[in-house]
Amino acid sequence: MDLNLKNFLKDRGSIIKDAERKDEKSFKDFKKIVEELKEKENKNKVVCDFTEYNPLHKGHKYALERGKEHGIFISVLPGALERSGRGIPYFLSRYIRAEMAIKAGADIVVEGPPMGVMGSGQYMRCLIKMFYSLGAEIIPRGYIPEETMEKVIDCINKGYHIQVKPYKISCIETGEVLGEKPSIDNYVIASMSQMIYKLNKEGLNYVDIDIGLTICPKCGELIDCVLVVARTALVGVLLSMKVFNAESPEHAVRIAKATIGKVLKNIPLEAVDVVELEK
């Protein structure tokens, strides 16, 4: 029997058995292990990477080492069918790939969504939800330098999100067309950004928006914070927005910009102040 097929059948059987054993307690035990590792290594962040390690190469090792500078490292390992070819069994079994990840420096290896049997959108949705459940704050990814991708990275670094279409990609908040669809490795980063935006949008019931007030420079009275000159020119808008479940002030700013930017398109946004609400 072909080695790839043998590995697939072995992986398939063990994945089914492992899934049957998992329950609510197993997730609590996992979170306990994460907290113990944080304390042991004196790190307060969780870094997650998803890759096949088929096989593990220098690029994987570099991303792993850079990620570990910022927190404990969790490798999300898909199994049992690889991405290329839509369902080809891995040359190396899930156990060997997991062992390689640990020996290369990963703190924990977890089973990821089955890459080879899901559509790209389905897979990315499962993956981003999994990152959220794992408490991931940093996702190290390498990319191939190209003009379009540099624009994509610039948008992401500004807290914006990317929309991917068959022949072009654009910035969701500004509407700017960034270029044509990138190569496979770069496409993954753009697709992740789009899925994060979609999932945030689905959960917008935790966001409340209030229009703030400002002081009239002439009479000193409080007025709605929209200044209009000659009844035509919108000079400035000051908005106050309550954001719940944000992990940090920076995270709150990103949520606010993404929410407001969806309405105020092509208008530069700047955070004036972030105040933590009392629980």
Side-chain angles (χ1 to χ4, degrees), residues 37-49:
L37 278 171
K38 282 183 177 180
E39 184 176 353
K40 179 182 178 181
E41 298 189 17
N42 194 26
K43 296 176 179 177
N44 59 6
K45 293 183 181 295
V46 174
V47 180
C48 281
D49 187 18

Side-chain angles (χ1 to χ4, degrees), residues 49 59 62-63 139-145 149 153 184-189:
D49 187 18
Y62 177 77
I139 305 169
R141 297 298 299 174
Y143 69 94
I144 301 171
M149 199 59 197
I153 297 299
I184 281 292
D185 289 331
N186 291 345
Y187 176 82
V188 170
I189 297 175

Side-chain angles (χ1 to χ4, degrees), residues 157-198:
N157 286 338
K158 289 178 179 178
Y160 297 156
H161 300 84
I162 306 302
Q163 184 175 39
V164 181
K165 292 187 176 181
Y167 301 105
K168 68 177 182 179
I169 60 175
S170 58
C171 177
I172 292 175
E173 284 77 11
T174 67
E176 177 188 0
V177 176
L178 305 177
E180 297 181 351
K181 183 178 177 180
S183 59
I184 281 292
D185 289 331
N186 291 345
Y187 176 82
V188 170
I189 297 175
S191 179
M192 285 179 60
S193 176
Q194 178 170 284
M195 186 54 65
I196 289 171
Y197 173 81
K198 286 182 178 180

